[in-house]
Amino acid sequence: MDANVFIRIDYKKDRSNPSQLFEAMSLYISAYEQFGQLLAKSIDVKQDFKFHLEDVQISSIKAKLIQSPSFINKFFINRVASAGSNIFSQLIETDETETEEQVDQLAANLEEALLHDGFGCEIDSHIDRKALSHMLGTVSKANNLIQKDEVVEFGSSVYSQSINTKWRFVGDLSTMFLGVKETITARDYLYVKIAINEGKQLWTFKSAKMNKTFTARILVKDWVKNYQSGLISPIGPKDTLLTEFSYDLYKPYDKRKTAEIRNVKITKIDYIVRGGSDEQFEIPA
């Protein structure tokens, strides 16, 4: 089984701006590398996926690519070609992709196809939607350089697929798949893991009930001043602070990842509970 892949552009012989062909080829190669990398990540391959150019045929501009030495095996190269064929076949019937929902559907269809592609159904693949959207954006830039009646094909000796060069990715890559941020105000008993005895650096707290450790800035200036000047007795390892605070809860678009607490600000400190507290507080799901 051949472990090489190719990208071929059948171009118009009298086309204007011939340099655009090589620019387009460069973008297609970059897109194929991005695609290989996201597939490698999807099956937990811990190395970079890179091509190097083995041959170019000027009759139609055909770039023959082989994997970097001592890295990707034949199985994986042919899986990339198979998966690429699947993605590009999904774009045949549409000329535009824009939304997260559309990218998510492309990825879900690809994940299903990878279970039945004949190259290892035992592998659990999860396609990174954000990485896929960037790969699609690169293909779209290349398509924009292809003229009417020119043909672009990706593939290997096993799989190949013509690209719908009319297709464009028009989504805003800077805002897609960033997840959701929610600002929350809470009241909780916090252990002090690291107290700052001088200056205005961030303190480190732990909430046992939230099962979270985080840094926070204390905005109660008089309390901090009194603590750092010794007017408040040092906080021990079993002591807790009854506080009010706000934080940003980041929920990633990938539901398999856990939410993150950021930008915590302590806005009120009621008192120190010497020896701890059994009060409960749970982070929103």
Side-chain angles (χ1 to χ4, degrees):
M1 185 180 291
D2 188 3
N4 295 332
V5 296
F6 68 85
I7 305 167
R8 182 172 58 240
I9 303 176
D10 291 329
Y11 60 90
K12 295 164 61 176
K13 299 299 186 285
D14 58 348
R15 67 120 64 208
S16 58
N17 299 318
S19 63
Q20 288 184 344
L21 290 169
F22 295 94
E23 184 179 354
M25 180 62 78
S26 176
L27 287 167
Y28 285 131
I29 291 173
S30 176
Y32 224 144
E33 287 188 338
Q34 292 174 48
F35 192 53
Q37 187 61 44
L38 75 90
L39 286 180
K41 183 178 179 181
S42 78
I43 59 175
D44 205 27
V45 173
K46 300 296 186 181
Q47 293 175 282
D48 288 337
F49 180 83
K50 293 292 183 182
F51 279 126
H52 68 263
L53 189 63
E54 184 184 64
D55 186 32
V56 174
Q57 299 176 9
I58 298 300
S59 59
S60 60
I61 298 193
K62 178 180 179 182
K64 187 178 181 183
L65 307 168
I66 63 176
Q67 73 272 22
S68 296
S70 304
F71 171 43
I72 304 294
N73 59 23
K74 292 182 180 181
F75 153 77
F76 190 78
I77 286 293
N78 284 291
R79 171 166 273 226
V80 172
S82 168
S85 177
N86 177 279
I87 283 291
F88 295 127
S89 67
Q90 292 187 64
L91 301 177
I92 289 295
E93 301 300 327
T94 182
D95 288 345
E96 191 173 277
T97 298
E98 179 178 11
T99 66
E100 289 186 359
E101 290 76 16
Q102 290 171 315
V103 175
D104 183 68
Q105 189 60 59
L106 287 171
N109 292 342
L110 178 56
E111 288 166 347
E112 178 66 21
L114 288 172
L115 292 175
H116 309 288
D117 66 0
F119 291 115
C121 61
E122 75 285 354
I123 295 178
D124 180 19
S125 296
H126 174 78
I127 301 301
D128 185 316
R129 271 60 171 169
K130 188 174 183 65
L132 178 61
S133 65
H134 280 272
M135 173 267 185
L136 292 171
T138 303
V139 173
S140 180
K141 290 179 182 178
N143 282 351
N144 200 47
L145 300 171
I146 301 300
Q147 296 183 3
K148 184 179 179 181
D149 299 327
E150 294 181 329
V151 177
V152 180
E153 184 180 7
F154 281 59
S156 70
S157 61
V158 179
Y159 289 93
S160 64
Q161 176 68 50
S162 294
I163 294 178
N164 175 11
T165 57
K166 296 179 181 179
W167 171 84
R168 298 292 185 270
F169 185 83
V170 295
D172 184 353
L173 292 173
S174 66
T175 61
M176 296 183 73
F177 297 107
L178 297 180
V180 177
K181 183 186 81 169
E182 181 181 359
T183 300
I184 296 173
T185 300
R187 182 175 173 83
D188 192 13
Y189 291 89
L190 303 178
Y191 291 96
V192 179
K193 297 195 70 175
I194 300 177
I196 302 303
N197 295 315
E198 294 181 358
K200 300 178 181 180
Q201 295 94 333
L202 297 176
W203 292 47
T204 302
F205 298 94
K206 179 180 180 180
S207 169
K209 301 306 180 182
M210 295 168 66
N211 193 27
K212 296 287 183 180
T213 297
F214 48 83
T215 58
R217 188 173 302 281
I218 298 179
L219 302 185
V220 189
K221 296 181 180 179
D222 289 343
W223 188 94
V224 173
K225 180 179 179 180
N226 290 337
Y227 182 82
Q228 291 181 342
S229 64
L231 297 178
I232 299 175
S233 299
I235 298 171
K238 293 184 179 181
D239 298 339
T240 59
L241 296 181
L242 177 57
T243 67
E244 290 183 5
F245 58 95
S246 65
Y247 63 91
D248 294 333
L249 181 66
Y250 284 83
K251 300 178 181 179
Y253 76 89
D254 185 346
K255 299 301 186 294
R256 303 181 310 165
K257 298 180 179 179
T258 58
E260 296 182 12
I261 292 177
R262 303 178 186 173
N263 193 31
V264 184
K265 298 176 181 178
I266 307 294
T267 55
K268 183 179 180 182
I269 298 176
D270 285 348
Y271 51 83
I272 300 174
V273 182
R274 301 293 178 178
S277 170
D278 293 328
E279 293 289 334
Q280 294 189 12
F281 173 81
E282 293 185 358
I283 187 172

